[in-house]
Amino acid sequence: MSPVKTSKKTNLKKAEILADYALAIESREDSLIGRKEVFMGKAKFGIFGDGKELAQIAAAKYFQNGDWRSGYYRDQTFVMAIGQVTSQQFFAQLYAHTDVAAEPASAGRMMNGHFGTRSINSKGEWRTLTDIKNSSSDISPTAAQMPRLIGLGWASKLYRNNPNLKDYKDFSINGNEVAFGTIGNASTSEGHFFEAMNAAGVLQIPMVMSVWDDGYGISVPQKYHTTKESISKALAGFQRTEDQAGIEIFTVKGWDYPALIETYRKAVKIAREEHVPCLVHVEELTQPQGHSTSGSHERYKPKDRLEWEKGHDCLLKMRKWMEEEGIASATELDTLEKEAKARAKKARENAWKDYMSEIKEDLNQAIELIGKAALTSDNNKILQQIKNDLKSSLNALKADIVKAVRKSLRYLTDNNSEEKKRLQDWLKEKQEKYKDEYSSHLYSQSAESPLNTEAVAPVFGEESKLVDGREVVQACFDALFERDPRVIAFGEDVGKIGDVNQGFAGLQEKYGEIRITDTGIRELTIIGQGIGASLRGLRPIAEIQYLDYLIYALQTLSDDLASLHYRMKGGQKAPLIIRTRGHRLEGVWHSGSPMGMIINSLRGIHVLVPRNMTQAAGFYNTLMDADDPALIIESLNGYRLKEKMPQNIGEIKVPLGIPETLREGTDITLVTYGSMCRIVMDAAQQLSDFNISCEVIDVQTLLPFDRNKDIVESLKKTNKIAFIDEDVPGGASAFMMQNVLERDGGYFHLDSKPITITAQEHRPAYGTDGDYFSKPSTEDVFEKIYALMHEINPDRYKAIL
């Protein structure tokens, strides 16, 4: 098949056409007013969807309840057209209003143009997603919306083809839901886009991908971005044919209203009914105000281009078409435009009034409290100046108010008046309130939080067999798939061979390819599949074959999944489990332990580091009953080590953030995790032969870390501590040290300096010798702990080296 051609006729009634035009005018006015608000200092930054209005209205016409959008920051008209954002909410976001009712997309946490519908209620419970039009939460990095789009579409395929999911009608009605994606033409140059389009073609998912093409990427014209200066031409090889699956490709002009309507009718029909992905390349769009409020496009666009854009503005074209077709007179359209602009103006006024009302209340309270405190102080003159500066500030923000109060309290240190106490109490109250507004919901705050899980210990009996560790985790997965049809697993080599270490061995044959699936080599969209599927109520396990390969997907994990719950203040959740393996093996790759990188870039995702497969199984069971995303890093050299098979493999649970003491001791506390546990335990045993008693603690999870301060309790006893891991110096060892010594006050109990024992700064060299000389060995641990004891008591512990 060749790219689809469309006609320019429309059967829409006059009322609907005029309503579309009115919405387009209102949205354009929102953009124009929004830019002015930024320049007036009432907002920090503005990025708008002007020039894309008609195409977005056309696409939105075929967006049904249950459908999902994964778009970007120029989609304001689209989300307005599907009834998920009003002009007033648009301006509330521009002002960063922290009230969820006023700004439901992010409660003021994201800059304007970032949209998302609230999939869960205030208790963290799922809403009926098939009753609403859904938008996954936007993020700013270009093309970063693409990976999750694949998962949103793939979920429809799973719901349609897995008969055991037919009753989950809150999430899908027979897989009829379409995933709508949007992107700017320049961002199609990103690898995210190409990987996602390839994945969509392979998976054959119901996806409609719109490219808003205005010929530029900020100042850079199309010729520098795209082969053949056209993404539809560049992707021509993806076009499906009579005998080969692929993608259906459409091209249409962004100013041609009837052609846009017809194009999207056809594209969405194909996607919804046939589960075929479609690309709609919307060409000849304009961007009347340039890229953003950061600059003017007159600086880089030639005069002939600017003149062309004026003549091809989609609103001007639509008006001309309506007049020529006799749909409406010039007078009618003038009146309609005036009314639409008035609505936009009124929305701005109401949004600003609501936003400022709370701030003004805080401002007046602070001014009054500072003024009264000043009257009781020897620093009256300074305090009065602080008060007057605050009072005279134009459009004071919460930060300005709190700064003034905190500064005032500096000059009241010798004052014990009631007025000072009232000022302190006011500040404490506001700081708690602002902590909720700006710092809450990094993780789930619902009853289903994994932090609420109680431990269920493994049960062993005389009949418990000693098996390879891989068999333990395989039995756990078997139990998970047996009890919950929403559980799915996918990744490279996961299906037919049961993953490279046999954790899923035999399970595809038992549960079917629809639930345990092989993928191509594409870590980024493997994670995207997991995010999208979990947003739609499924319980995915996305496998990244080796920990080193997590870097391919780190941007999506960090910018999208880790921040999701936070950036919507609890409005959406994606309880994805990422399974991988790492630590010791052989060589520069497949043996990495970049834990510092991971824990510092993935705040918002729990990071679990089991030392064996029984512990890993307990984590999987914990997470499947919870609603937070997590990364589980299994120990690569643990699959062939022998463990007893628990009798209750499907029920054991390991709580998060609770360390386990593996060995009692009195001289020094050794803190470690993962594969290092075996080495540290070996060293501790050898140290005992030299009268050094080591307490060995497995932290079990790095995020969260030691929630009950158990390590400090050990430190109180030993007064000496070492942090040991396979990361580079200053990586996770420094993270653990900071938490124990600073966060938990462990420094108070030290009798000697704390030490870290880590890998070398380079990646491990190949072979057994490469491993030995690159990562901490039993001898390294022994000698460094012994040297510490020698420093404390050289007479008892004679120097070795």
Side-chain angles (χ1 to χ4, degrees):
M1 298 181 186
S2 59
V4 177
K5 303 293 183 181
T6 60
S7 70
K8 293 188 176 182
K9 296 180 179 179
T10 179
N11 295 320
L12 298 181
K13 294 181 180 179
K14 174 179 177 178
E16 185 173 353
I17 295 171
L18 292 180
D20 287 347
Y21 184 64
L23 176 59
I25 293 292
E26 183 178 341
S27 180
R28 175 67 63 85
E29 193 67 12
D30 289 344
S31 298
L32 297 173
I33 295 173
R35 186 178 179 87
K36 293 176 183 176
E37 294 295 277
V38 173
F39 291 154
M40 290 175 64
K42 294 165 72 175
K44 194 78 173 179
F45 176 80
I47 194 159
F48 308 104
D50 47 304
K52 282 76 177 172
E53 293 90 353
L54 295 193
Q56 293 181 17
I57 287 172
K61 282 187 178 298
Y62 303 100
F63 193 98
Q64 298 179 2
N65 284 351
D67 286 349
W68 279 83
R69 167 190 166 272
S70 183
Y72 83 131
Y73 43 70
R74 298 201 188 279
D75 285 351
Q76 70 197 51
T77 314
F78 189 105
V79 290
M80 291 170 73
I82 64 173
Q84 294 302 318
V85 167
T86 65
S87 290
Q88 185 166 332
Q89 290 168 338
F90 170 85
F91 285 111
Q93 188 176 64
L94 184 69
Y95 303 137
H97 196 161
T98 55
D99 185 346
V100 171
E103 202 278 270
S106 73
R109 293 183 176 184
M110 290 194 288
M111 71 175 70
N112 85 297
H114 291 69
F115 309 106
T117 51
R118 305 192 77 77
S119 302
I120 54 179
N121 62 25
S122 59
K123 295 180 181 180
E125 301 164 335
W126 289 108
R127 297 174 63 194
T128 301
L129 303 184
T130 48
D131 285 348
I132 59 177
K133 294 180 171 66
N134 303 282
S135 176
S136 58
S137 177
D138 292 341
I139 53 179
S140 287
T142 55
Q145 69 274 29
M146 294 298 302
R148 100 172 80 95
L149 174 66
I150 301 304
L152 292 170
W154 184 54
S156 288
K157 184 171 184 174
L158 298 176
Y159 279 116
R160 178 172 288 185
N161 295 322
N162 183 352
N164 293 320
L165 294 175
K166 296 297 183 185
D167 292 335
Y168 288 87
K169 297 188 183 300
D170 285 355
F171 299 105
S172 178
I173 307 297
N174 194 38
N176 292 330
E177 301 78 24
V178 173
F180 286 67
T182 67
I183 196 169
N185 58 287
S187 296
T188 63
S189 300
E190 294 278 13
H192 294 52
F193 177 81
F194 283 96
E195 183 174 322
M197 294 307 297
N198 179 61
V202 169
L203 292 170
Q204 288 294 284
I205 55 177
M207 179 185 93
V208 175
M209 182 67 228
S210 297
V211 179
W212 312 137
D213 190 346
D214 57 29
Y216 279 79
I218 306 183
S219 66
V220 180
Q222 188 81 316
K223 65 181 180 179
Y224 295 110
H225 286 291
T226 309
T227 300
K228 300 180 180 180
E229 298 188 43
S230 166
I231 194 60
S232 55
K233 292 178 182 178
L235 292 181
F238 283 45
Q239 172 68 49
R240 67 171 178 163
T241 62
E242 294 289 349
D243 58 350
Q244 286 188 309
I247 293 171
E248 194 62 80
I249 300 176
F250 298 79
T251 58
V252 63
K253 306 302 182 187
W255 45 262
D256 192 337
Y257 174 77
L260 286 163
I261 300 292
E262 178 63 9
T263 298
Y264 278 105
R265 184 191 68 78
K266 289 184 176 180
V268 176
K269 180 179 173 64
I270 291 170
R272 197 180 305 280
E273 295 179 1
E274 301 178 42
H275 275 201
V276 170
C278 298
L279 174 78
V280 181
H281 182 193
V282 184
E283 302 174 298
E284 296 191 8
L285 288 167
T286 66
Q287 200 156 274
Q289 297 188 112
H291 176 263
S292 69
T293 54
S294 292
S296 170
H297 61 158
E298 283 85 356
R299 292 181 302 154
Y300 53 83
K301 288 180 181 175
K303 289 183 179 180
D304 59 342
R305 171 69 191 194
L306 291 170
E307 284 300 314
W308 180 90
E309 289 196 8
K310 288 179 182 178
H312 285 78
D313 187 304
C314 63
L315 302 188
L316 180 66
K317 285 281 193 177
M318 184 176 182
R319 174 168 177 144
K320 183 178 180 182
W321 170 76
M322 287 188 292
E323 290 178 345
E324 289 176 349
E325 294 293 321
I327 295 170
S329 66
T331 302
E332 284 181 280
L333 294 175
D334 288 344
T335 301
L336 181 149
E337 290 176 9
K338 183 178 180 181
E339 292 172 348
K341 292 177 181 180
R343 284 193 297 274
K345 182 179 179 182
K346 185 65 175 177
R348 182 209 65 79
E349 292 172 354
N350 290 339
W352 180 252
K353 180 180 178 182
D354 288 350
Y355 169 66
M356 288 303 297
S357 61
E358 182 183 348
I359 294 178
K360 286 181 178 178
E361 183 178 344
D362 287 353
L363 177 66
N364 293 333
Q365 289 174 356
I367 289 171
E368 181 181 1
L369 289 168
I370 295 170
K372 288 183 177 179
L375 298 177
T376 68
S377 172
D378 294 337
N379 293 313
N380 177 57
K381 186 175 181 181
I382 296 173
L383 290 165
Q384 290 291 354
Q385 185 61 52
I386 293 172
K387 182 194 78 170
N388 291 335
D389 288 346
L390 181 60
K391 190 175 183 178
S392 61
S393 61
L394 181 65
N395 297 328
L397 301 173
K398 296 173 187 175
D400 299 317
I401 300 167
V402 170
K403 284 179 186 178
V405 172
R406 293 172 74 177
K407 188 174 181 181
S408 296
L409 288 170
R410 299 175 192 171
Y411 296 98
L412 291 166
T413 53
D414 294 329
N415 188 305
N416 294 316
S417 67
E418 283 297 315
E419 286 75 10
K420 173 190 172 181
K421 186 176 184 306
R422 280 194 285 271
L423 190 61
Q424 289 175 322
D425 290 344
W426 184 92
L427 179 60
K428 289 176 184 176
E429 177 188 335
K430 294 303 174 185
Q431 286 178 324
E432 281 299 309
K433 181 175 182 292
Y434 298 151
K435 183 178 180 181
D436 173 72
E437 290 181 355
Y438 298 104
S439 299
S440 67
H441 292 87
L442 180 59
Y443 298 96
S444 170
Q445 297 181 192
S446 78
E448 294 182 358
S449 166
L451 303 186
N452 296 330
T453 299
E454 298 291 334
V456 178
V459 175
F460 302 102
E462 292 183 4
E463 66 276 19
S464 296
K465 294 180 180 179
L466 201 62
V467 299
D468 289 346
R470 63 180 178 81
E471 296 179 69
V472 174
V473 77
Q474 189 267 0
C476 171
F477 290 144
D478 193 5
L480 290 175
F481 278 85
E482 180 69 34
R483 73 169 179 255
D484 191 343
R486 298 174 303 157
V487 178
I488 52 176
F490 48 95
E492 298 157 16
D493 299 303
V494 164
K496 189 174 182 62
I497 69 169
D499 88 44
V500 292
N501 295 103
Q502 300 291 283
F504 289 101
L507 297 185
Q508 186 186 74
E509 185 177 354
K510 183 175 181 179
Y511 295 102
E513 188 176 352
I514 193 66
R515 295 188 65 192
I516 302 173
T517 311
D518 285 315
T519 71
I521 298 175
R522 48 175 181 81
E523 285 78 11
L524 184 68
T525 46
I526 289 172
I527 294 301
Q529 281 181 246
I531 296 172
S534 57
L535 279 166
R536 295 194 57 189
L538 296 171
R539 296 311 309 259
I541 301 171
E543 177 161 317
I544 301 299
Q545 197 162 90
Y546 295 105
L547 181 59
D548 310 72
Y549 299 164
L550 196 75
I551 296 174
Y552 282 102
L554 194 64
Q555 185 273 324
T556 290
L557 286 167
S558 180
D559 288 334
D560 196 353
L561 182 61
S563 72
L564 173 66
H565 201 61
Y566 168 78
R567 70 179 185 264
M568 285 200 69
K569 199 181 181 185
Q572 289 181 359
K573 62 181 178 181
L576 168 63
I577 299 173
I578 304 106
R579 179 194 184 216
T580 189
R581 51 194 66 85
H583 310 312
R584 291 177 179 266
L585 189 64
E586 299 292 348
V588 173
W589 290 276
H590 295 6
S591 53
S593 298
M595 305 308 298
M597 175 190 73
I598 289 168
I599 59 180
N600 286 306
S601 61
L602 299 187
R603 301 298 170 94
I605 298 174
H606 298 300
V607 177
L608 319 183
V609 282
R611 67 181 179 274
N612 58 38
M613 298 306 148
T614 302
Q615 195 182 34
F619 283 139
Y620 285 114
N621 291 332
T622 292
L623 294 170
M624 277 300 176
D625 288 341
D627 62 356
D628 263 337
L631 169 68
I632 298 182
I633 304 167
E634 297 169 10
S635 296
L636 251 173
N637 59 4
Y639 295 111
R640 299 292 178 182
L641 295 179
K642 298 298 183 181
E643 299 182 35
K644 277 191 173 183
M645 177 68 77
Q647 294 177 338
N648 59 337
I649 187 65
E651 287 76 43
I652 60 175
K653 291 183 179 179
V654 179
L656 275 53
I658 310 298
E660 181 179 353
T661 300
L662 304 182
R663 180 187 178 104
E664 300 280 350
T666 56
D667 288 331
I668 186 169
T669 300
L670 308 183
V671 181
T672 191
Y673 60 85
S675 294
M676 282 304 300
C677 288
R678 288 186 288 276
I679 289 172
V680 172
M681 286 290 282
D682 187 17
Q685 179 60 43
Q686 295 183 29
L687 285 161
S688 71
D689 295 338
F690 290 80
N691 298 312
I692 298 173
S693 175
C694 299
E695 184 141 299
V696 180
I697 296 178
D698 174 12
V699 302
Q700 302 201 92
T701 69
L702 289 169
L703 296 177
F705 181 84
D706 192 8
R707 293 159 54 204
N708 297 331
K709 303 183 181 181
D710 294 332
I711 298 172
V712 169
E713 291 304 309
S714 173
L715 186 54
K716 288 178 182 178
K717 176 172 57 174
T718 66
N719 306 118
K720 295 174 284 297
I721 195 166
F723 301 92
I724 309 163
D725 81 336
E726 297 179 59
D727 199 358
V728 297
S733 59
F735 166 81
M736 294 189 291
M737 180 184 288
Q738 186 268 333
N739 275 280
V740 173
L741 301 187
E742 181 185 345
R743 184 196 73 177
D744 299 339
Y747 73 93
F748 186 78
H749 306 287
L750 288 173
D751 285 345
S752 61
K753 71 175 183 179
I755 65 170
T756 63
I757 303 174
T758 69
Q760 299 295 322
E761 293 189 44
H762 54 75
R763 295 186 178 207
Y766 176 65
T768 300
D769 286 343
D771 175 82
Y772 184 82
F773 292 107
S774 300
K775 290 201 171 187
S777 65
T778 299
E779 289 70 36
D780 292 332
V781 176
F782 181 99
E783 290 169 5
K784 290 190 178 182
I785 300 305
Y786 188 93
L788 179 64
M789 299 302 292
H790 165 73
E791 183 180 336
I792 295 168
N793 191 342
D795 292 333
R796 184 176 183 186
Y797 304 105
K798 305 296 186 182
I800 296 176
L801 300 175

